[in-house]
Amino acid sequence: MADVPVVTVLTPVYNEAASVNRIIEAVLAQQPVAELIIVEDCSTDGTWDVIRQWPARDPRVRVFQ
């Protein structure tokens, strides 16, 4: 069996509270994604409140401000 490649995805986000859940779900649905690192860049719309819940939902997600 061939080795399956794994990928770490780095995603900056800014004011994406309305769409960030769909984005995260789409990225994590890709088979080679082993880790998703999200960097929240001083959003003013509550994006941090949305993304900070993700590490508990999926251990592949890491979030930073």
CSV table of all heavy atoms in Angstrom, one decimal:
chain,number,residue,atom,x,y,z
A,1,MET,N,0.8,-1.2,0.0
A,1,MET,CA,0.0,0.0,0.0
A,1,MET,C,0.9,1.2,0.0
A,1,MET,O,1.8,1.3,0.8
A,1,MET,CB,-0.9,0.0,1.2
A,1,MET,CG,-1.8,1.2,1.3
A,1,MET,SD,-2.9,1.1,2.8
A,1,MET,CE,-4.3,0.4,2.1
A,2,ALA,N,0.6,2.2,-0.9
A,2,ALA,CA,1.4,3.4,-1.0
A,2,ALA,C,1.1,4.3,0.2
A,2,ALA,O,0.0,4.3,0.8
A,2,ALA,CB,1.0,4.1,-2.2
A,3,ASP,N,2.1,5.1,0.6
A,3,ASP,CA,2.0,6.0,1.7
A,3,ASP,C,1.0,7.1,1.2
A,3,ASP,O,1.1,7.6,0.1
A,3,ASP,CB,3.3,6.7,2.0
A,3,ASP,CG,4.2,5.7,2.7
A,3,ASP,OD1,3.7,4.8,3.4
A,3,ASP,OD2,5.5,5.9,2.6
A,4,VAL,N,0.1,7.5,2.1
A,4,VAL,CA,-0.8,8.6,1.8
A,4,VAL,C,-0.2,9.9,2.3
A,4,VAL,O,0.2,10.0,3.5
A,4,VAL,CB,-2.2,8.3,2.6
A,4,VAL,CG1,-3.1,9.5,2.4
A,4,VAL,CG2,-2.8,7.0,2.1
A,5,PRO,N,-0.1,10.9,1.5
A,5,PRO,CA,0.5,12.2,1.9
A,5,PRO,C,-0.4,12.8,3.0
A,5,PRO,O,-1.6,12.7,3.0
A,5,PRO,CB,0.5,13.0,0.7
A,5,PRO,CG,-0.5,12.4,-0.2
A,5,PRO,CD,-0.6,11.0,0.1
A,6,VAL,N,0.2,13.6,3.9
A,6,VAL,CA,-0.5,14.3,4.9
A,6,VAL,C,-0.1,15.8,4.8
A,6,VAL,O,1.0,16.1,4.4
A,6,VAL,CB,-0.3,13.8,6.3
A,6,VAL,CG1,-0.8,12.4,6.5
A,6,VAL,CG2,1.2,13.9,6.7
A,7,VAL,N,-1.1,16.6,5.1
A,7,VAL,CA,-0.9,18.1,4.9
A,7,VAL,C,-1.3,18.8,6.1
A,7,VAL,O,-2.2,18.5,6.8
A,7,VAL,CB,-1.7,18.6,3.7
A,7,VAL,CG1,-1.6,20.1,3.5
A,7,VAL,CG2,-1.4,17.8,2.4
A,8,THR,N,-0.5,19.9,6.5
A,8,THR,CA,-0.9,20.9,7.4
A,8,THR,C,-1.3,22.1,6.7
A,8,THR,O,-0.6,22.6,5.8
A,8,THR,CB,0.3,21.2,8.4
A,8,THR,OG1,0.6,20.1,9.2
A,8,THR,CG2,-0.1,22.3,9.3
A,9,VAL,N,-2.5,22.6,7.0
A,9,VAL,CA,-3.1,23.8,6.3
A,9,VAL,C,-3.0,24.9,7.3
A,9,VAL,O,-3.5,24.8,8.5
A,9,VAL,CB,-4.5,23.5,5.9
A,9,VAL,CG1,-5.1,24.8,5.3
A,9,VAL,CG2,-4.6,22.3,4.9
A,10,LEU,N,-2.5,26.0,6.9
A,10,LEU,CA,-2.4,27.3,7.7
A,10,LEU,C,-3.4,28.3,7.1
A,10,LEU,O,-3.3,28.6,5.9
A,10,LEU,CB,-1.0,27.8,7.7
A,10,LEU,CG,-0.8,29.2,8.4
A,10,LEU,CD1,-1.2,29.1,9.8
A,10,LEU,CD2,0.6,29.7,8.2
A,11,THR,N,-4.4,28.7,7.9
A,11,THR,CA,-5.4,29.6,7.4
A,11,THR,C,-5.6,30.8,8.2
A,11,THR,O,-5.9,30.7,9.4
A,11,THR,CB,-6.8,28.9,7.3
A,11,THR,OG1,-6.7,27.7,6.6
A,11,THR,CG2,-7.9,29.7,6.8
A,12,PRO,N,-5.2,32.0,7.6
A,12,PRO,CA,-5.5,33.2,8.4
A,12,PRO,C,-7.0,33.6,8.2
A,12,PRO,O,-7.6,33.3,7.1
A,12,PRO,CB,-4.6,34.3,7.7
A,12,PRO,CG,-4.5,33.7,6.3
A,12,PRO,CD,-4.6,32.2,6.4
A,13,VAL,N,-7.6,34.1,9.2
A,13,VAL,CA,-9.0,34.6,9.1
A,13,VAL,C,-9.2,35.9,9.7
A,13,VAL,O,-8.5,36.3,10.7
A,13,VAL,CB,-10.0,33.6,9.8
A,13,VAL,CG1,-10.0,32.2,9.1
A,13,VAL,CG2,-9.7,33.4,11.3
A,14,TYR,N,-10.1,36.7,9.1
A,14,TYR,CA,-10.4,38.1,9.5
A,14,TYR,C,-11.8,38.3,9.2
A,14,TYR,O,-12.2,38.3,8.0
A,14,TYR,CB,-9.5,39.1,8.9
A,14,TYR,CG,-9.8,40.5,9.3
A,14,TYR,CD1,-9.5,41.0,10.5
A,14,TYR,CD2,-10.5,41.3,8.4
A,14,TYR,CE1,-9.8,42.3,10.9
A,14,TYR,CE2,-10.9,42.6,8.8
A,14,TYR,CZ,-10.5,43.1,10.1
A,14,TYR,OH,-10.8,44.4,10.4
A,15,ASN,N,-12.6,38.6,10.2
A,15,ASN,CA,-14.1,38.9,10.1
A,15,ASN,C,-14.8,37.8,9.2
A,15,ASN,O,-15.4,38.2,8.2
A,15,ASN,CB,-14.3,40.3,9.5
A,15,ASN,CG,-14.0,41.3,10.6
A,15,ASN,OD1,-13.9,41.0,11.8
A,15,ASN,ND2,-13.8,42.6,10.2
A,16,GLU,N,-14.6,36.6,9.6
A,16,GLU,CA,-15.3,35.5,8.9
A,16,GLU,C,-16.2,34.7,9.7
A,16,GLU,O,-16.5,33.5,9.5
A,16,GLU,CB,-14.2,34.5,8.4
A,16,GLU,CG,-13.3,35.1,7.3
A,16,GLU,CD,-13.9,35.3,6.0
A,16,GLU,OE1,-15.0,34.7,5.7
A,16,GLU,OE2,-13.4,36.1,5.2
A,17,ALA,N,-16.8,35.3,10.7
A,17,ALA,CA,-17.7,34.6,11.7
A,17,ALA,C,-18.9,33.9,10.9
A,17,ALA,O,-19.3,32.8,11.3
A,17,ALA,CB,-18.3,35.6,12.7
A,18,ALA,N,-19.4,34.5,9.9
A,18,ALA,CA,-20.5,34.0,9.2
A,18,ALA,C,-20.2,32.8,8.3
A,18,ALA,O,-21.0,31.9,8.1
A,18,ALA,CB,-21.2,35.1,8.3
A,19,SER,N,-18.9,32.6,7.9
A,19,SER,CA,-18.6,31.6,7.0
A,19,SER,C,-17.5,30.6,7.5
A,19,SER,O,-17.2,29.6,6.8
A,19,SER,CB,-18.1,32.2,5.6
A,19,SER,OG,-17.0,33.0,5.8
A,20,VAL,N,-16.8,30.9,8.6
A,20,VAL,CA,-15.6,30.2,9.0
A,20,VAL,C,-16.0,28.7,9.3
A,20,VAL,O,-15.1,27.8,9.0
A,20,VAL,CB,-14.9,30.9,10.1
A,20,VAL,CG1,-15.6,30.7,11.5
A,20,VAL,CG2,-13.5,30.3,10.2
A,21,ASN,N,-17.1,28.4,9.8
A,21,ASN,CA,-17.5,27.0,10.1
A,21,ASN,C,-17.5,26.2,8.8
A,21,ASN,O,-17.0,25.1,8.7
A,21,ASN,CB,-18.8,26.9,10.8
A,21,ASN,CG,-18.7,27.2,12.3
A,21,ASN,OD1,-17.6,26.9,12.9
A,21,ASN,ND2,-19.7,27.8,12.9
A,22,ARG,N,-18.1,26.7,7.8
A,22,ARG,CA,-18.2,26.0,6.5
A,22,ARG,C,-16.8,25.9,5.9
A,22,ARG,O,-16.4,24.8,5.3
A,22,ARG,CB,-19.0,26.8,5.5
A,22,ARG,CG,-20.5,26.7,5.8
A,22,ARG,CD,-21.4,27.3,4.7
A,22,ARG,NE,-20.9,28.6,4.2
A,22,ARG,CZ,-21.3,29.8,4.7
A,22,ARG,NH1,-22.2,29.8,5.6
A,22,ARG,NH2,-20.9,30.9,4.2
A,23,ILE,N,-15.9,26.8,6.0
A,23,ILE,CA,-14.5,26.8,5.5
A,23,ILE,C,-13.8,25.7,6.3
A,23,ILE,O,-13.1,24.8,5.6
A,23,ILE,CB,-13.8,28.1,5.7
A,23,ILE,CG1,-14.5,29.2,4.8
A,23,ILE,CG2,-12.3,28.0,5.4
A,23,ILE,CD1,-14.1,30.6,5.1
A,24,ILE,N,-13.9,25.6,7.6
A,24,ILE,CA,-13.2,24.6,8.4
A,24,ILE,C,-13.7,23.2,8.0
A,24,ILE,O,-12.9,22.3,7.8
A,24,ILE,CB,-13.4,24.9,9.9
A,24,ILE,CG1,-12.7,26.2,10.3
A,24,ILE,CG2,-12.9,23.7,10.7
A,24,ILE,CD1,-13.0,26.7,11.7
A,25,GLU,N,-15.0,23.0,7.9
A,25,GLU,CA,-15.5,21.7,7.5
A,25,GLU,C,-15.0,21.3,6.2
A,25,GLU,O,-14.7,20.1,6.0
A,25,GLU,CB,-17.0,21.8,7.6
A,25,GLU,CG,-17.6,21.9,9.0
A,25,GLU,CD,-19.1,22.3,9.1
A,25,GLU,OE1,-19.7,22.5,8.0
A,25,GLU,OE2,-19.6,22.3,10.2
A,26,ALA,N,-15.0,22.2,5.2
A,26,ALA,CA,-14.5,21.9,3.9
A,26,ALA,C,-13.0,21.5,3.9
A,26,ALA,O,-12.6,20.5,3.2
A,26,ALA,CB,-14.7,23.0,2.9
A,27,VAL,N,-12.2,22.2,4.6
A,27,VAL,CA,-10.8,21.8,4.7
A,27,VAL,C,-10.6,20.5,5.4
A,27,VAL,O,-9.9,19.6,4.9
A,27,VAL,CB,-10.0,22.9,5.5
A,27,VAL,CG1,-8.6,22.5,5.7
A,27,VAL,CG2,-10.0,24.2,4.7
A,28,LEU,N,-11.3,20.2,6.5
A,28,LEU,CA,-11.1,19.0,7.2
A,28,LEU,C,-11.6,17.8,6.5
A,28,LEU,O,-11.2,16.7,6.7
A,28,LEU,CB,-11.8,19.1,8.6
A,28,LEU,CG,-11.1,20.1,9.6
A,28,LEU,CD1,-11.9,20.2,10.9
A,28,LEU,CD2,-9.7,19.7,9.9
A,29,ALA,N,-12.5,18.0,5.5
A,29,ALA,CA,-13.1,16.9,4.7
A,29,ALA,C,-12.1,16.4,3.7
A,29,ALA,O,-12.3,15.3,3.2
A,29,ALA,CB,-14.3,17.4,4.0
A,30,GLN,N,-11.0,17.1,3.5
A,30,GLN,CA,-10.0,16.6,2.5
A,30,GLN,C,-9.1,15.6,3.2
A,30,GLN,O,-8.5,15.8,4.3
A,30,GLN,CB,-9.1,17.8,2.1
A,30,GLN,CG,-9.9,19.0,1.5
A,30,GLN,CD,-10.9,18.5,0.4
A,30,GLN,OE1,-10.5,17.9,-0.6
A,30,GLN,NE2,-12.2,18.8,0.5
A,31,GLN,N,-9.0,14.4,2.6
A,31,GLN,CA,-8.3,13.3,3.2
A,31,GLN,C,-6.9,13.6,3.6
A,31,GLN,O,-6.5,13.1,4.7
A,31,GLN,CB,-8.3,12.1,2.2
A,31,GLN,CG,-7.7,10.9,2.8
A,31,GLN,CD,-7.7,9.7,1.9
A,31,GLN,OE1,-8.1,9.8,0.7
A,31,GLN,NE2,-7.3,8.6,2.3
A,32,PRO,N,-6.1,14.3,2.9
A,32,PRO,CA,-4.7,14.5,3.3
A,32,PRO,C,-4.5,15.4,4.5
A,32,PRO,O,-3.4,15.6,5.0
A,32,PRO,CB,-3.9,14.9,2.1
A,32,PRO,CG,-4.9,15.6,1.3
A,32,PRO,CD,-6.2,14.9,1.6
A,33,VAL,N,-5.5,16.1,4.9
A,33,VAL,CA,-5.4,17.1,6.0
A,33,VAL,C,-5.2,16.5,7.4
A,33,VAL,O,-6.1,15.9,7.9
A,33,VAL,CB,-6.5,18.2,6.0
A,33,VAL,CG1,-6.4,19.1,7.2
A,33,VAL,CG2,-6.6,18.9,4.7
A,34,ALA,N,-4.0,16.6,7.9
A,34,ALA,CA,-3.7,16.1,9.2
A,34,ALA,C,-3.8,17.1,10.3
A,34,ALA,O,-4.0,16.8,11.5
A,34,ALA,CB,-2.3,15.5,9.2
A,35,GLU,N,-3.7,18.4,9.9
A,35,GLU,CA,-3.7,19.5,10.9
A,35,GLU,C,-4.2,20.7,10.2
A,35,GLU,O,-3.8,21.0,9.1
A,35,GLU,CB,-2.3,19.7,11.4
A,35,GLU,CG,-2.2,20.8,12.4
A,35,GLU,CD,-0.7,20.9,12.9
A,35,GLU,OE1,0.2,20.8,12.1
A,35,GLU,OE2,-0.6,21.1,14.1
A,36,LEU,N,-5.0,21.5,10.9
A,36,LEU,CA,-5.5,22.8,10.4
A,36,LEU,C,-5.1,23.8,11.5
A,36,LEU,O,-5.6,23.8,12.6
A,36,LEU,CB,-7.0,22.8,10.2
A,36,LEU,CG,-7.6,24.1,9.8
A,36,LEU,CD1,-7.0,24.8,8.6
A,36,LEU,CD2,-9.1,24.0,9.6
A,37,ILE,N,-4.3,24.8,11.1
A,37,ILE,CA,-3.9,25.9,12.0
A,37,ILE,C,-4.6,27.1,11.5
A,37,ILE,O,-4.4,27.5,10.4
A,37,ILE,CB,-2.4,26.1,12.0
A,37,ILE,CG1,-1.7,24.8,12.5
A,37,ILE,CG2,-2.0,27.3,12.9
A,37,ILE,CD1,-0.2,24.8,12.3
A,38,ILE,N,-5.4,27.7,12.4
A,38,ILE,CA,-6.1,28.9,12.1
A,38,ILE,C,-5.6,30.1,12.9
A,38,ILE,O,-5.5,30.0,14.1
A,38,ILE,CB,-7.6,28.7,12.4
A,38,ILE,CG1,-8.2,27.5,11.7
A,38,ILE,CG2,-8.4,30.0,12.0
A,38,ILE,CD1,-9.6,27.1,12.2
A,39,VAL,N,-5.2,31.1,12.2
A,39,VAL,CA,-4.7,32.3,12.9
A,39,VAL,C,-5.7,33.4,12.7
A,39,VAL,O,-6.0,33.9,11.6
A,39,VAL,CB,-3.3,32.8,12.3
A,39,VAL,CG1,-2.9,34.0,13.0
A,39,VAL,CG2,-2.3,31.6,12.4
A,40,GLU,N,-6.3,33.9,13.8
A,40,GLU,CA,-7.4,34.9,13.8
A,40,GLU,C,-6.7,36.3,14.0
A,40,GLU,O,-5.9,36.4,14.9
A,40,GLU,CB,-8.4,34.6,14.9
A,40,GLU,CG,-9.6,35.5,14.8
A,40,GLU,CD,-9.4,36.8,15.4
A,40,GLU,OE1,-8.7,37.0,16.4
A,40,GLU,OE2,-10.0,37.8,14.9
A,41,ASP,N,-7.0,37.2,13.1
A,41,ASP,CA,-6.2,38.4,13.0
A,41,ASP,C,-7.1,39.6,13.4
A,41,ASP,O,-7.4,40.5,12.6
A,41,ASP,CB,-5.7,38.6,11.6
A,41,ASP,CG,-4.7,39.8,11.4
A,41,ASP,OD1,-4.1,40.2,12.5
A,41,ASP,OD2,-4.4,40.2,10.3
A,42,CYS,N,-7.4,39.7,14.7
A,42,CYS,CA,-8.1,40.9,15.3
A,42,CYS,C,-9.4,41.2,14.7
A,42,CYS,O,-9.8,42.3,14.5
A,42,CYS,CB,-7.2,42.1,15.2
A,42,CYS,SG,-5.6,41.9,16.1
A,43,SER,N,-10.2,40.1,14.4
A,43,SER,CA,-11.5,40.3,13.9
A,43,SER,C,-12.4,41.1,14.8
A,43,SER,O,-12.2,41.0,16.1
A,43,SER,CB,-12.2,39.0,13.6
A,43,SER,OG,-11.5,38.2,12.6
A,44,THR,N,-13.4,41.8,14.3
A,44,THR,CA,-14.3,42.5,15.1
A,44,THR,C,-15.7,42.0,15.1
A,44,THR,O,-16.6,42.6,15.7
A,44,THR,CB,-14.3,44.0,14.7
A,44,THR,OG1,-14.7,44.1,13.3
A,44,THR,CG2,-13.0,44.7,14.8
A,45,ASP,N,-15.9,40.8,14.4
A,45,ASP,CA,-17.3,40.3,14.3
A,45,ASP,C,-17.5,39.0,15.0
A,45,ASP,O,-18.5,38.3,14.8
A,45,ASP,CB,-17.5,40.0,12.8
A,45,ASP,CG,-16.7,38.9,12.2
A,45,ASP,OD1,-15.7,38.5,12.9
A,45,ASP,OD2,-17.1,38.4,11.1
A,46,GLY,N,-16.6,38.6,16.0
A,46,GLY,CA,-16.9,37.4,16.7
A,46,GLY,C,-16.2,36.2,16.2
A,46,GLY,O,-16.5,35.1,16.6
A,47,THR,N,-15.4,36.3,15.2
A,47,THR,CA,-14.7,35.1,14.6
A,47,THR,C,-14.0,34.3,15.6
A,47,THR,O,-14.0,33.1,15.6
A,47,THR,CB,-13.7,35.6,13.5
A,47,THR,OG1,-14.5,36.3,12.4
A,47,THR,CG2,-13.0,34.4,12.8
A,48,TRP,N,-13.3,35.0,16.5
A,48,TRP,CA,-12.5,34.2,17.6
A,48,TRP,C,-13.5,33.4,18.4
A,48,TRP,O,-13.2,32.2,18.7
A,48,TRP,CB,-11.8,35.2,18.5
A,48,TRP,CG,-11.1,34.5,19.6
A,48,TRP,CD1,-11.4,34.5,20.9
A,48,TRP,CD2,-10.0,33.6,19.5
A,48,TRP,NE1,-10.5,33.7,21.6
A,48,TRP,CE2,-9.7,33.1,20.8
A,48,TRP,CE3,-9.2,33.1,18.4
A,48,TRP,CZ2,-8.7,32.2,21.0
A,48,TRP,CZ3,-8.2,32.2,18.7
A,48,TRP,CH2,-7.9,31.8,20.0
A,49,ASP,N,-14.6,33.9,18.7
A,49,ASP,CA,-15.6,33.1,19.5
A,49,ASP,C,-16.0,31.8,18.8
A,49,ASP,O,-16.3,30.8,19.4
A,49,ASP,CB,-16.8,33.9,19.9
A,49,ASP,CG,-16.4,35.0,20.9
A,49,ASP,OD1,-15.5,34.9,21.7
A,49,ASP,OD2,-17.1,36.1,20.8
A,50,VAL,N,-16.1,31.9,17.5
A,50,VAL,CA,-16.5,30.8,16.7
A,50,VAL,C,-15.4,29.8,16.6
A,50,VAL,O,-15.6,28.6,16.8
A,50,VAL,CB,-16.9,31.2,15.2
A,50,VAL,CG1,-17.2,30.0,14.4
A,50,VAL,CG2,-18.2,32.2,15.3
A,51,ILE,N,-14.2,30.2,16.2
A,51,ILE,CA,-13.1,29.2,16.0
A,51,ILE,C,-12.5,28.6,17.2
A,51,ILE,O,-12.0,27.5,17.2
A,51,ILE,CB,-12.0,29.8,15.1
A,51,ILE,CG1,-11.2,31.0,15.8
A,51,ILE,CG2,-12.5,30.3,13.8
A,51,ILE,CD1,-10.0,31.4,15.2
A,52,ARG,N,-12.6,29.3,18.4
A,52,ARG,CA,-12.0,28.8,19.6
A,52,ARG,C,-12.7,27.5,20.1
A,52,ARG,O,-12.2,26.8,20.9
A,52,ARG,CB,-11.9,29.8,20.7
A,52,ARG,CG,-13.2,30.2,21.3
A,52,ARG,CD,-13.0,31.3,22.3
A,52,ARG,NE,-14.3,31.7,22.8
A,52,ARG,CZ,-14.4,32.2,24.0
A,52,ARG,NH1,-13.3,32.3,24.8
A,52,ARG,NH2,-15.6,32.5,24.5
A,53,GLN,N,-13.9,27.2,19.5
A,53,GLN,CA,-14.6,26.0,19.9
A,53,GLN,C,-14.1,24.8,19.1
A,53,GLN,O,-14.4,23.6,19.5
A,53,GLN,CB,-16.1,26.2,19.6
A,53,GLN,CG,-16.7,27.4,20.2
A,53,GLN,CD,-16.7,27.5,21.7
A,53,GLN,OE1,-16.9,26.5,22.4
A,53,GLN,NE2,-16.3,28.6,22.2
A,54,TRP,N,-13.4,25.0,18.0
A,54,TRP,CA,-13.0,23.9,17.1
A,54,TRP,C,-12.1,22.9,17.7
A,54,TRP,O,-12.2,21.7,17.4
A,54,TRP,CB,-12.6,24.5,15.8
A,54,TRP,CG,-13.7,24.6,14.9
A,54,TRP,CD1,-14.5,25.7,14.7
A,54,TRP,CD2,-14.3,23.6,14.1
A,54,TRP,NE1,-15.5,25.5,13.8
A,54,TRP,CE2,-15.4,24.2,13.4
A,54,TRP,CE3,-14.0,22.3,13.9
A,54,TRP,CZ2,-16.2,23.4,12.5
A,54,TRP,CZ3,-14.8,21.5,13.0
A,54,TRP,CH2,-15.9,22.1,12.3
A,55,PRO,N,-11.0,23.3,18.5
A,55,PRO,CA,-10.1,22.2,19.0
A,55,PRO,C,-10.8,21.2,19.8
A,55,PRO,O,-10.4,20.0,19.8
A,55,PRO,CB,-9.1,23.0,19.8
A,55,PRO,CG,-9.1,24.4,19.1
A,55,PRO,CD,-10.5,24.6,18.7
A,56,ALA,N,-11.9,21.5,20.5
A,56,ALA,CA,-12.6,20.5,21.3
A,56,ALA,C,-13.4,19.6,20.4
A,56,ALA,O,-13.7,18.5,20.7
A,56,ALA,CB,-13.5,21.2,22.3
A,57,ARG,N,-13.8,20.2,19.2
A,57,ARG,CA,-14.6,19.4,18.3
A,57,ARG,C,-13.8,18.5,17.4
A,57,ARG,O,-14.2,17.4,17.0
A,57,ARG,CB,-15.4,20.3,17.3
A,57,ARG,CG,-16.5,21.1,18.0
A,57,ARG,CD,-17.1,22.2,17.1
A,57,ARG,NE,-17.8,21.6,16.0
A,57,ARG,CZ,-18.4,22.3,15.1
A,57,ARG,NH1,-18.4,23.6,15.2
A,57,ARG,NH2,-19.0,21.7,14.0
A,58,ASP,N,-12.6,18.9,17.1
A,58,ASP,CA,-11.7,18.1,16.2
A,58,ASP,C,-10.2,18.4,16.6
A,58,ASP,O,-9.8,19.5,16.5
A,58,ASP,CB,-11.9,18.5,14.7
A,58,ASP,CG,-11.3,17.5,13.8
A,58,ASP,OD1,-10.1,17.2,14.0
A,58,ASP,OD2,-11.9,17.1,12.8
A,59,PRO,N,-9.5,17.3,17.1
A,59,PRO,CA,-8.2,17.5,17.6
A,59,PRO,C,-7.2,17.9,16.5
A,59,PRO,O,-6.0,18.3,16.8
A,59,PRO,CB,-7.8,16.2,18.2
A,59,PRO,CG,-8.7,15.2,17.5
A,59,PRO,CD,-10.0,16.0,17.2
A,60,ARG,N,-7.5,17.9,15.2
A,60,ARG,CA,-6.6,18.4,14.2
A,60,ARG,C,-6.6,19.9,14.1
A,60,ARG,O,-5.7,20.4,13.4
A,60,ARG,CB,-7.1,17.8,12.8
A,60,ARG,CG,-7.0,16.3,12.7
A,60,ARG,CD,-7.6,15.8,11.4
A,60,ARG,NE,-9.0,16.1,11.4
A,60,ARG,CZ,-9.8,16.0,10.3
A,60,ARG,NH1,-9.2,15.6,9.1
A,60,ARG,NH2,-11.0,16.2,10.3
A,61,VAL,N,-7.5,20.6,14.8
A,61,VAL,CA,-7.6,22.0,14.7
A,61,VAL,C,-6.8,22.7,15.8
A,61,VAL,O,-7.0,22.3,17.0
A,61,VAL,CB,-9.0,22.5,14.6
A,61,VAL,CG1,-9.1,24.0,14.6
A,61,VAL,CG2,-9.8,21.9,13.5
A,62,ARG,N,-6.0,23.7,15.4
A,62,ARG,CA,-5.3,24.5,16.4
A,62,ARG,C,-5.6,26.0,16.1
A,62,ARG,O,-5.6,26.3,14.9
A,62,ARG,CB,-3.8,24.3,16.4
A,62,ARG,CG,-3.4,22.8,16.7
A,62,ARG,CD,-2.0,22.5,16.6
A,62,ARG,NE,-1.2,23.4,17.5
A,62,ARG,CZ,0.1,23.6,17.3
A,62,ARG,NH1,0.7,23.1,16.3
A,62,ARG,NH2,0.7,24.4,18.1
A,63,VAL,N,-5.9,26.8,17.1
A,63,VAL,CA,-6.3,28.2,16.8
A,63,VAL,C,-5.3,29.1,17.6
A,63,VAL,O,-4.9,28.8,18.7
A,63,VAL,CB,-7.7,28.4,17.2
A,63,VAL,CG1,-8.7,27.6,16.2
A,63,VAL,CG2,-8.1,28.2,18.6
A,64,PHE,N,-5.1,30.2,17.0
A,64,PHE,CA,-4.2,31.3,17.6
A,64,PHE,C,-4.8,32.6,17.3
A,64,PHE,O,-5.4,32.9,16.2
A,64,PHE,CB,-2.8,31.2,17.0
A,64,PHE,CG,-2.1,29.9,17.3
A,64,PHE,CD1,-2.2,28.8,16.4
A,64,PHE,CD2,-1.4,29.7,18.4
A,64,PHE,CE1,-1.6,27.6,16.6
A,64,PHE,CE2,-0.8,28.5,18.7
A,64,PHE,CZ,-0.9,27.4,17.8
A,65,GLN,N,-4.5,33.6,18.2
A,65,GLN,CA,-4.9,35.0,17.9
A,65,GLN,C,-3.7,35.8,17.7
A,65,GLN,O,-2.6,35.5,18.3
A,65,GLN,CB,-5.6,35.6,19.1
A,65,GLN,CG,-7.1,35.5,19.0
A,65,GLN,CD,-7.8,36.3,20.1
A,65,GLN,OE1,-7.4,36.2,21.2
A,65,GLN,NE2,-8.9,36.9,19.8
